[in-house]
Structure formats: structure tokens, C-alpha cells
Amino acid sequence: MHLLNADLHSHSNVSDGTLGPEQLAARANANGVELWSLTDHDEISGQARARDAALALGMRYLSGTEISVSFAGQTVHIVGLGFDIDDAALAAGLAATRGGRRERALAMAAGLAAAGIDGAFDGALRYVDNPELVSRTHFARFLVERGVCADTHEVFRRFLTEGRPGYVPHRWAGLGDAVRWITAAGGIAVIAHPARYRFTPTEEYALFTEFIAHGGRGVEVMTGSHSAAEQQRYAETALEFDLFASRGSDFHAAGESRTELGALPDLPGRLRPVWEALAARVQGG
Ligand code: AMP
Ligand code: MN
Ligand code: MN
Ligand code: MN
């Protein structure tokens, strides 16, 4: 039996994807996605375009974003789904979260210059469509273009992660703030790709319990960056903490993303899909 083909995590060129919201909608639809969400980093300016394109193609749509949060010395991503896209407090919170990205990018470029790679700020900017959202991904594409690395994963490993020359620590939103912006706007907050963090068991337990205490209600189980064992592990975590489960490819770009839109396995049947809790917020269909 097939569940709904829901893909509730993807990026357009409003953040660090390469396709416009309309092109992404078309790709999702061609891949059989029935319920879609565009979840740009710290941004919702693509939401109306994504929704209109999805509905015109006969897909259903949930509003989305992926908020960068600092927690226990690491960056954690919180996906928000099904919120009111006109909510003023959410918009202000996202704008504040985006605020330091340009200065951070200048500092990253300085670090890369010290490692012998010149012109990275202007080089990365050529890949940016939204001037408020310069991301490490744009730097990675530039370093591949320069021939410094073979692919973006190698760039992250060698240049853009902690301890590497282009890495600059950054203070993002607070966990409680991000969860409250989403929840107060009528949405559900979801912990994105939990297996990608490097927490101790104690820190991970703190993340989940604090997230829930702030009103968070979901966790991604099926995501493009989880192995089969990690999918299993976080299915158990969803049950343990009584969280809704989400499914999303985290698609950014063809030839760069590991997983295509709509191509993940179904959620295990014993989990409660997050879209069932958001039925009243789904548009279209
Ligand atoms: P930023 O928000 O500027 O810190 O950039 C974070 C983005 O970088 C993530 O959303 C991913 O798209 C990308 N990213 C992070 N780590 C990796 C990696 N190891 N390989 C490829 N892309 C990555
Ligand atoms: Mn990204
Ligand atoms: Mn993420
Ligand atoms: Mn993402």
C-alpha cells in the first residue's frame, strides 16, 4: 500500500537551490509528488509562487521554511510547515535570522583568501539569486567552478566545515524562538535531518526535550541525507517522543542532491505523518 507521495523539504533559488519555485514545482509534479512544500533557508519570499505553481499543476501544497538555529554549539535546522505566510512575527524573525549572512560571507571569503583562493565573495555571489541569502552552498559551487574540488561535498569537507579555512562560526536563531515563530503562525515545527548533527546522546536528548517543551511536534524520519539505519533509528525516536513524522528529499539541484524530489521510501506505517496533523492547512486538492 502506498501512502501519499509527500515531499516536505526542498530548496529553490530563493535560498540555495538552483531552480525557481515554478521549475521546482514542475519537477516535483513530474516525479509524482502529490503534496509538496518549498522550505527555503530562513526565507518565505518564494511561498506564494510555489503555492500557485503547485495548485496550477494539481498538487497539494503546505507552506514551508527551514530555520537555522544555534543549539549546544552546533547549527540545527528546524523545518516549519503549514504556517500563515503573511504572519508578521515569523517574517521579522526570519529577516533577523538572515541578517548576518553577508558579513559572514565576507569573513568566509577572507579565510579562503588566506588559504590561497581569491575572489570567493564575488565568485559565490554570481551563484546567488537572493542577495539576502548568501550561503555556504554558493561558495561550494564557486570552488567547484574554479576546479579547486571535484564536487560540492568535497568543498564542504575541505573548506567549509568547522576547523577548515572558509568556516566562520555564526550565531543563528534560538531554538525556542524558531519553534514559537512557526507555531504562533499556525504551523508545526519539525526537527530536520536529525542524524546530521554531531551531538552526544545527552545533547541530542536535550535537543528533543527542549524542542518539545517549546511546542515542537515533528521530526524528519525520511530525508535525503538519512541512511536506511538512520531512518530506522529516527522512526523509533519519533515513537519514543510521540512526534509526528515527516518525509522530504531536501532537494537542492540536479546532479548535486543525493535524492530526487518525491523519491524517498514511504514513512513506516506505524508512524503518524505530519501532514495528517496539518490537514486544515493543506492548500489545493
Ligand atoms: P549555510 O546555511 O550557509 O550554513 O549553508 C548550509 C547548507 O550547506 C545546507 O543547507 C546544505 O545545503 C549545504 N551543506 C551543508 N553541509 C554539506 C555537505 N557536507 N555537503 C554538501 N552540502 C552541504
Ligand atoms: Mn541548503
Ligand atoms: Mn538542512
Ligand atoms: Mn534543507
Side-chain angles (χ1 to χ4, degrees), residues 1-61:
M1 185 187 76
H2 262 294
L3 291 173
L4 185 71
N5 190 343
D7 192 326
L8 304 182
H9 190 150
S10 59
H11 298 272
S12 76
N13 61 7
V14 169
S15 64
D16 60 348
T18 56
L19 302 177
E22 295 82 5
Q23 295 169 293
L24 204 58
R27 193 176 183 107
N29 186 56
N31 287 352
V33 173
E34 296 162 284
L35 172 64
W36 177 51
S37 184
L38 172 67
T39 55
D40 279 311
H41 297 285
D42 309 324
E43 258 290 8
I44 54 172
S45 63
Q47 289 303 306
R49 289 168 61 191
R51 176 203 60 209
D52 291 351
L55 270 48
L57 289 162
M59 287 190 291
R60 279 172 271 173
Y61 189 76

Coordinates of all heavy atoms in Angstrom, one line a residue, residues 1-61:
M1 N 0.8 -1.2 0.0 CA 0.0 0.0 0.0 C 0.9 1.3 0.0 O 1.9 1.3 0.7 CB -0.9 0.0 1.3 CG -1.9 1.1 1.3 SD -2.8 1.3 2.8 CE -1.6 2.0 3.9
H2 N 0.5 2.2 -0.8 CA 1.3 3.5 -0.9 C 0.6 4.5 -0.1 O -0.6 4.8 -0.2 CB 1.4 3.9 -2.3 CG 2.7 3.6 -2.9 ND1 3.9 4.1 -2.5 CD2 3.0 2.7 -3.9 CE1 4.9 3.6 -3.2 NE2 4.4 2.7 -4.1
L3 N 1.4 5.2 0.8 CA 0.9 6.4 1.4 C 0.9 7.5 0.4 O 1.3 7.3 -0.8 CB 1.8 6.8 2.6 CG 1.9 5.9 3.8 CD1 2.9 6.3 4.7 CD2 0.5 5.9 4.5
L4 N 0.5 8.7 0.8 CA 0.6 9.9 -0.1 C 2.1 10.1 -0.4 O 3.0 10.0 0.4 CB 0.1 11.0 0.8 CG -0.1 12.4 0.1 CD1 -1.2 12.3 -0.9 CD2 -0.3 13.4 1.2
N5 N 2.4 10.5 -1.7 CA 3.7 10.9 -2.0 C 3.9 12.4 -1.6 O 3.7 13.3 -2.4 CB 4.0 10.7 -3.5 CG 5.5 10.9 -3.8 OD1 6.3 11.5 -3.0 ND2 6.0 10.4 -4.9
A6 N 4.3 12.6 -0.4 CA 4.6 13.9 0.2 C 6.0 14.2 0.2 O 6.8 13.4 0.6 CB 4.0 14.0 1.6
D7 N 6.4 15.4 -0.3 CA 7.8 15.8 -0.2 C 7.8 17.2 0.4 O 7.5 18.2 -0.2 CB 8.5 15.9 -1.6 CG 10.0 16.0 -1.5 OD1 10.5 16.7 -0.5 OD2 10.8 15.5 -2.3
L8 N 8.2 17.2 1.7 CA 8.0 18.4 2.5 C 9.4 19.0 2.9 O 9.5 19.6 4.0 CB 7.2 18.1 3.8 CG 5.8 17.4 3.5 CD1 5.0 17.2 4.8 CD2 5.0 18.3 2.6
H9 N 10.3 19.0 2.0 CA 11.6 19.6 2.3 C 12.3 19.8 0.9 O 12.8 18.8 0.3 CB 12.5 18.8 3.2 CG 13.7 19.5 3.7 ND1 14.2 19.2 5.0 CD2 14.5 20.4 3.2 CE1 15.3 20.0 5.2 NE2 15.5 20.7 4.1
S10 N 12.4 21.0 0.4 CA 13.1 21.3 -0.8 C 13.5 22.8 -0.9 O 13.0 23.6 -0.2 CB 12.2 20.9 -2.0 OG 11.0 21.6 -2.0
H11 N 14.5 23.1 -1.8 CA 15.1 24.4 -1.9 C 15.0 25.0 -3.3 O 15.4 24.3 -4.2 CB 16.5 24.4 -1.4 CG 16.6 24.0 0.1 ND1 16.5 24.9 1.1 CD2 16.7 22.8 0.7 CE1 16.6 24.3 2.3 NE2 16.7 23.0 2.0
S12 N 14.6 26.2 -3.4 CA 14.7 26.9 -4.7 C 15.8 27.9 -4.7 O 16.5 28.1 -3.7 CB 13.3 27.7 -4.9 OG 13.3 28.8 -4.1
N13 N 15.9 28.7 -5.7 CA 17.0 29.7 -5.8 C 16.6 31.0 -4.9 O 17.4 31.9 -4.9 CB 17.3 30.1 -7.3 CG 16.0 30.7 -8.0 OD1 15.0 30.9 -7.4 ND2 16.2 30.9 -9.3
V14 N 15.5 30.9 -4.2 CA 15.3 31.9 -3.2 C 16.2 31.7 -2.0 O 16.5 32.6 -1.2 CB 13.8 31.9 -2.8 CG1 13.5 32.7 -1.5 CG2 12.9 32.4 -3.9
S15 N 16.7 30.4 -1.9 CA 17.8 30.2 -0.9 C 19.0 29.5 -1.7 O 19.5 30.2 -2.6 CB 17.4 29.4 0.3 OG 16.9 28.1 0.0
D16 N 19.3 28.3 -1.4 CA 20.5 27.7 -2.0 C 20.2 26.6 -3.0 O 21.1 25.8 -3.4 CB 21.5 27.2 -1.0 CG 21.0 26.2 0.0 OD1 19.7 25.9 0.0 OD2 21.8 25.6 0.7
G17 N 19.0 26.5 -3.5 CA 18.7 25.6 -4.7 C 19.0 26.3 -6.0 O 19.4 27.5 -6.0
T18 N 18.9 25.6 -7.1 CA 19.2 26.3 -8.4 C 18.0 26.5 -9.2 O 18.1 27.3 -10.2 CB 20.2 25.4 -9.2 OG1 19.6 24.1 -9.3 CG2 21.6 25.3 -8.5
L19 N 16.9 25.9 -8.9 CA 15.7 26.1 -9.7 C 14.7 27.2 -9.1 O 14.7 27.3 -7.9 CB 14.9 24.8 -9.8 CG 15.6 23.6 -10.5 CD1 14.7 22.4 -10.5 CD2 16.1 23.9 -11.9
G20 N 14.0 27.9 -9.9 CA 13.0 28.8 -9.4 C 11.8 28.0 -8.8 O 11.7 26.8 -9.1
P21 N 11.0 28.6 -7.9 CA 9.9 27.9 -7.3 C 9.0 27.2 -8.4 O 8.6 26.0 -8.2 CB 9.1 28.9 -6.6 CG 10.2 29.9 -6.2 CD 11.1 30.0 -7.4
E22 N 8.8 27.8 -9.5 CA 7.9 27.2 -10.5 C 8.6 26.0 -11.2 O 7.9 25.0 -11.5 CB 7.5 28.3 -11.6 CG 6.7 29.4 -11.2 CD 7.5 30.5 -10.5 OE1 8.8 30.5 -10.5 OE2 6.9 31.5 -10.0
Q23 N 9.9 26.1 -11.5 CA 10.6 25.0 -12.1 C 10.6 23.8 -11.1 O 10.5 22.6 -11.5 CB 12.0 25.4 -12.4 CG 12.1 26.4 -13.5 CD 13.6 27.0 -13.5 OE1 14.1 27.6 -12.6 NE2 14.3 26.7 -14.6
L24 N 10.8 24.1 -9.8 CA 10.8 23.1 -8.8 C 9.5 22.4 -8.7 O 9.4 21.2 -8.5 CB 11.2 23.7 -7.5 CG 11.9 22.9 -6.4 CD1 13.2 22.2 -6.9 CD2 12.2 23.8 -5.2
A25 N 8.4 23.2 -8.7 CA 7.1 22.6 -8.7 C 6.9 21.7 -9.9 O 6.3 20.6 -9.7 CB 6.0 23.7 -8.7
A26 N 7.3 22.1 -11.0 CA 7.2 21.2 -12.2 C 7.9 19.9 -12.1 O 7.5 18.8 -12.4 CB 7.6 22.0 -13.5
R27 N 9.1 20.0 -11.5 CA 10.0 18.8 -11.3 C 9.3 17.9 -10.3 O 9.3 16.7 -10.4 CB 11.3 19.2 -10.9 CG 12.4 18.1 -10.9 CD 13.8 18.7 -10.6 NE 14.8 17.6 -10.7 CZ 15.7 17.6 -11.6 NH1 15.7 18.5 -12.6 NH2 16.5 16.6 -11.7
A28 N 8.8 18.4 -9.2 CA 8.1 17.7 -8.2 C 6.9 16.9 -8.8 O 6.7 15.7 -8.6 CB 7.7 18.5 -7.0
N29 N 6.1 17.7 -9.6 CA 4.9 17.1 -10.2 C 5.3 16.0 -11.2 O 4.7 14.9 -11.2 CB 4.2 18.2 -10.9 CG 2.8 17.7 -11.4 OD1 2.0 17.2 -10.7 ND2 2.6 17.8 -12.7
A30 N 6.3 16.2 -12.0 CA 6.8 15.2 -12.9 C 7.3 13.9 -12.2 O 7.2 12.8 -12.7 CB 7.9 15.7 -13.8
N31 N 7.7 14.1 -11.0 CA 8.2 12.9 -10.2 C 7.1 12.3 -9.4 O 7.4 11.4 -8.6 CB 9.4 13.3 -9.3 CG 10.6 13.6 -10.0 OD1 10.7 13.3 -11.2 ND2 11.6 14.2 -9.3
G32 N 5.9 12.7 -9.5 CA 4.8 12.1 -8.8 C 4.5 12.6 -7.4 O 3.7 12.0 -6.7
V33 N 5.0 13.7 -7.1 CA 4.7 14.3 -5.8 C 3.3 14.8 -5.7 O 2.8 15.5 -6.7 CB 5.7 15.5 -5.4 CG1 5.3 16.2 -4.1 CG2 7.1 15.0 -5.3
E34 N 2.6 14.4 -4.7 CA 1.2 14.8 -4.6 C 1.0 15.9 -3.6 O 0.0 16.7 -3.7 CB 0.3 13.6 -4.1 CG 0.4 12.5 -5.1 CD -0.1 11.1 -4.5 OE1 0.8 10.5 -3.8 OE2 -1.2 10.7 -4.8
L35 N 1.8 16.0 -2.6 CA 1.8 17.1 -1.6 C 3.2 17.6 -1.4 O 4.1 16.9 -1.1 CB 1.3 16.6 -0.2 CG 1.3 17.6 1.0 CD1 0.4 18.8 0.7 CD2 0.9 16.9 2.3
W36 N 3.4 18.9 -1.7 CA 4.7 19.5 -1.8 C 4.9 20.6 -0.8 O 3.9 21.4 -0.5 CB 5.0 19.9 -3.2 CG 6.3 20.6 -3.4 CD1 7.5 20.1 -3.1 CD2 6.5 21.8 -4.1 NE1 8.5 21.0 -3.5 CE2 7.9 22.1 -4.1 CE3 5.7 22.8 -4.7 CZ2 8.5 23.2 -4.6 CZ3 6.3 23.9 -5.2 CH2 7.7 24.1 -5.2
S37 N 6.1 20.9 -0.4 CA 6.4 22.1 0.4 C 7.8 22.6 -0.1 O 8.8 21.8 -0.1 CB 6.4 21.9 1.9 OG 6.7 23.1 2.6
L38 N 7.9 23.9 -0.4 CA 9.2 24.6 -0.6 C 9.6 25.1 0.8 O 8.9 25.8 1.4 CB 9.0 25.7 -1.6 CG 10.2 26.6 -1.8 CD1 11.3 25.9 -2.4 CD2 9.8 27.9 -2.6
T39 N 10.8 24.7 1.2 CA 11.3 25.1 2.5 C 12.7 25.8 2.4 O 13.7 25.3 2.9 CB 11.5 23.8 3.4 OG1 12.3 22.9 2.7 CG2 10.1 23.1 3.7
D40 N 12.7 27.0 1.8 CA 13.9 27.7 1.7 C 14.5 28.1 3.0 O 13.7 28.4 4.0 CB 13.7 29.0 0.8 CG 13.7 28.6 -0.7 OD1 14.7 27.9 -1.1 OD2 12.8 29.0 -1.4
H41 N 15.8 28.1 3.1 CA 16.5 28.5 4.4 C 16.1 29.9 4.8 O 16.4 30.9 4.0 CB 18.0 28.5 4.2 CG 18.6 27.1 3.9 ND1 18.7 26.1 4.8 CD2 19.1 26.6 2.7 CE1 19.2 25.1 4.3 NE2 19.5 25.3 3.0
D42 N 15.6 30.1 6.0 CA 15.4 31.4 6.6 C 14.6 32.4 5.7 O 14.8 33.6 5.8 CB 16.7 32.1 7.0 CG 17.6 31.1 7.8 OD1 17.0 30.4 8.6 OD2 18.8 31.1 7.6
E43 N 13.8 31.9 4.8 CA 13.1 32.7 3.8 C 11.7 32.2 3.4 O 11.6 30.9 3.3 CB 13.9 32.7 2.4 CG 14.8 33.9 2.2 CD 14.0 35.2 1.9 OE1 12.7 35.2 2.0 OE2 14.6 36.2 1.5
I44 N 10.8 33.1 3.2 CA 9.5 32.6 2.7 C 9.0 33.4 1.5 O 7.9 33.4 1.1 CB 8.4 32.7 3.9 CG1 8.3 34.0 4.5 CG2 8.7 31.6 4.9 CD1 7.1 34.2 5.5
S45 N 10.0 34.2 0.9 CA 9.5 35.1 -0.2 C 9.2 34.3 -1.5 O 8.6 34.8 -2.4 CB 10.6 36.1 -0.5 OG 11.8 35.5 -0.9
G46 N 9.5 33.0 -1.5 CA 9.1 32.1 -2.6 C 7.8 31.4 -2.4 O 7.3 30.7 -3.3
Q47 N 7.1 31.6 -1.3 CA 6.0 30.8 -0.9 C 4.7 31.0 -1.8 O 4.1 30.0 -2.2 CB 5.6 31.0 0.6 CG 6.6 30.4 1.5 CD 6.8 28.9 1.3 OE1 5.8 28.2 1.3 NE2 8.0 28.5 1.1
A48 N 4.4 32.2 -2.1 CA 3.2 32.4 -3.0 C 3.4 31.8 -4.4 O 2.5 31.2 -4.9 CB 2.8 33.9 -3.0
R49 N 4.6 32.0 -4.9 CA 4.9 31.4 -6.2 C 4.9 29.9 -6.2 O 4.3 29.3 -7.1 CB 6.3 31.9 -6.7 CG 6.4 33.4 -7.0 CD 7.9 33.8 -7.2 NE 8.6 33.1 -8.2 CZ 9.9 33.1 -8.4 NH1 10.7 33.8 -7.6 NH2 10.5 32.4 -9.4
A50 N 5.4 29.3 -5.1 CA 5.4 27.9 -5.0 C 4.0 27.3 -4.9 O 3.6 26.4 -5.6 CB 6.3 27.4 -3.8
R51 N 3.2 27.9 -4.1 CA 1.8 27.5 -3.9 C 1.0 27.6 -5.2 O 0.3 26.7 -5.6 CB 1.2 28.4 -2.8 CG -0.3 28.1 -2.6 CD -1.0 29.3 -1.9 NE -0.9 30.5 -2.8 CZ -0.9 31.7 -2.3 NH1 -1.0 32.0 -1.0 NH2 -0.8 32.7 -3.2
D52 N 1.1 28.8 -5.9 CA 0.4 29.0 -7.1 C 0.8 28.0 -8.2 O -0.1 27.4 -8.9 CB 0.6 30.4 -7.6 CG 0.0 31.5 -6.7 OD1 -0.8 31.1 -5.8 OD2 0.2 32.7 -6.9
A53 N 2.1 27.7 -8.3 CA 2.6 26.8 -9.3 C 2.1 25.4 -8.9 O 1.6 24.6 -9.8 CB 4.1 26.8 -9.4
A54 N 2.1 25.0 -7.6 CA 1.7 23.7 -7.2 C 0.2 23.4 -7.5 O -0.2 22.4 -8.1 CB 2.0 23.5 -5.7
L55 N -0.6 24.4 -7.2 CA -2.0 24.3 -7.4 C -2.4 24.2 -8.8 O -3.3 23.4 -9.2 CB -2.8 25.4 -6.6 CG -3.2 25.1 -5.2 CD1 -2.1 24.5 -4.3 CD2 -3.8 26.3 -4.5
A56 N -1.7 25.0 -9.7 CA -1.9 25.0 -11.1 C -1.6 23.6 -11.7 O -2.2 23.2 -12.7 CB -1.1 26.1 -11.8
L57 N -0.7 22.9 -11.1 CA -0.3 21.6 -11.6 C -1.1 20.5 -11.0 O -1.0 19.3 -11.3 CB 1.2 21.3 -11.3 CG 2.2 22.2 -12.1 CD1 3.6 22.1 -11.4 CD2 2.3 21.6 -13.5
G58 N -2.1 20.8 -10.1 CA -2.9 19.8 -9.4 C -2.3 19.2 -8.2 O -2.8 18.2 -7.7
M59 N -1.1 19.7 -7.7 CA -0.6 19.2 -6.5 C -1.2 19.9 -5.3 O -1.8 21.0 -5.5 CB 0.9 19.4 -6.4 CG 1.8 18.6 -7.3 SD 3.5 18.7 -7.0 CE 3.9 20.4 -7.6
R60 N -1.1 19.3 -4.1 CA -1.5 20.0 -2.9 C -0.2 20.7 -2.3 O 0.9 20.3 -2.7 CB -2.1 19.0 -1.9 CG -3.6 18.8 -2.2 CD -4.1 17.7 -1.3 NE -3.9 16.4 -2.0 CZ -4.2 15.2 -1.5 NH1 -4.6 15.2 -0.2 NH2 -4.1 14.1 -2.1
Y61 N -0.4 21.7 -1.5 CA 0.7 22.5 -1.0 C 0.6 22.8 0.4 O -0.5 23.1 0.9 CB 0.9 23.8 -1.8 CG 2.1 24.5 -1.5 CD1 3.3 24.0 -2.1 CD2 2.2 25.6 -0.7 CE1 4.5 24.6 -1.7 CE2 3.4 26.2 -0.3 CZ 4.5 25.7 -0.9 OH 5.7 26.3 -0.5

